Amino acid sequence: IVLTQSPATLSLSPGERATLSCRASESVNNYLAWYQQKPGQAPRLLMYDASTRATGIPARFSGSGSGTDFTLTISSLEPEDFAVYFCQQRRNWPPLTFGGGTRVEI
Amino acid sequence: QVQLVQSGAALQKPGASVKISCKTSGYTFINYYIHWVRQAPGQGPEWLGMINPNGGSTSSGPKWLGRVTMTRDTATNTVYLEVRGLTSDDTAVYYCASAQGGGDFYLDHWGQGTLVTVS
C-alpha cells in the first residue's frame, strides 16, 4: 500500500491551523498512524487508529479519516510543532509502509 | 522508563554485512514486538521487519527476505538486526522501535538510531 502525503511543505506561522493529508492507494480502514520527526531525532508517535492520540500528545493534535483519505490537524501551531510529519499504515502487512512526509515550516 | 539503546555508527564496505544491537529496559521484554525501520537522508521511513521477543518469530517485508536477520537475546533484553550484501543504497539511519501502547504495529518507543554508511 502506497501512502501519498500532501502538501510536501506547509509554510505557516505560530498560532495558525495546520491541515496535513495522507492518501492510501487502497483502503486501510482506520489503521493509520501519524508521527512527528524533528532533525536528528527519531520519529514520535502522535496518533494511531486514525484518531486516537498517543500517550502524552497534546489535544491540539487531532486525526480523522478512514478508508483512503486521512487528515492530521494541528489546531494552533506552537513553536515546537515545526517538524516533519509522516503517516504509516498497518492494514496490509508485511510490509508496514510510511508516507513520504510533510514538512511544516515557519 | 522505557529505553531502547542502539549500538554505535558503522562504516562498512560494499558487499559486507552489518549487525546492529538494540538493548531494551524499563518494561517486560517479551511482551512487545520490536520493529526495525530505516531512514535514508531526506527520505521517509522504511520498514524492514519485526521480531516477537516471546519466541523469536520474525516477519520481514518481501524486499528484505534473505537479506536481513533479526534475533533476540532474552538474557540481556537485546534484539539484533543483521543486514547482508550492503550497497551504497543501504546508507541510512537504522532504528529499532517498540510497539506498546497502540498495539503491535504502531511504534511508540524508539531507539536513538544507528547510522550505517556503506562506502
Side-chain angles (χ1 to χ4, degrees), chain B residues 84-102:
Chain B
R84 296 177 292 279
L86 292 168
T87 72
S88 58
D89 289 342
D90 295 313
T91 294
V93 177
Y94 289 72
Y95 294 100
C96 59
S98 175
Q100 299 193 15

Side-chain angles (χ1 to χ4, degrees), chain A residues 6 9 15 18 30 47 55 67 84:
Chain A
S6 61
T9 303
N30 69 328
M47 313 288 305
T55 302
V84 181

Side-chain angles (χ1 to χ4, degrees), chain B:
Chain B
Q1 74 281 21
V2 175
Q3 285 192 307
L4 290 78
V5 179
Q6 299 181 222
S7 49
L11 172 62
Q12 299 291 346
K13 295 188 183 303
S17 300
V18 67
K19 191 170 186 177
I20 303 166
S21 66
C22 172
K23 183 171 177 57
T24 72
S25 61
Y27 71 97
T28 303
F29 177 65
I30 61 170
N31 282 1
Y32 302 103
Y33 291 179
I34 296 285
H35 296 251
W36 289 94
V37 172
R38 77 176 189 180
Q39 192 170 26
Q43 303 297 313
E46 180 179 20
W47 185 79
L48 281 73
M50 58 186 272
I51 183 167
N52 181 351
N54 186 9
S57 62
T58 62
S59 179
S60 299
K63 170 180 178 178
W64 301 105
L65 293 178
R67 281 198 68 205
V68 301
T69 301
M70 292 167 285
T71 56
R72 96 288 190 224
D73 181 345
T74 56
T76 60
N77 295 344
T78 302
V79 297
Y80 299 90
L81 170 73
E82 182 179 28
V83 183
R84 296 177 292 279
L86 292 168
T87 72
S88 58
D89 289 342
D90 295 313
T91 294
V93 177
Y94 289 72
Y95 294 100
C96 59
S98 175
Q100 299 193 15
D104 295 337
F105 302 100
Y106 298 127
L107 313 181
D108 55 352
H109 296 279
W110 293 67
Q112 82 277 19
T114 296
L115 175 62
V116 174
T117 303
V118 183
S119 177

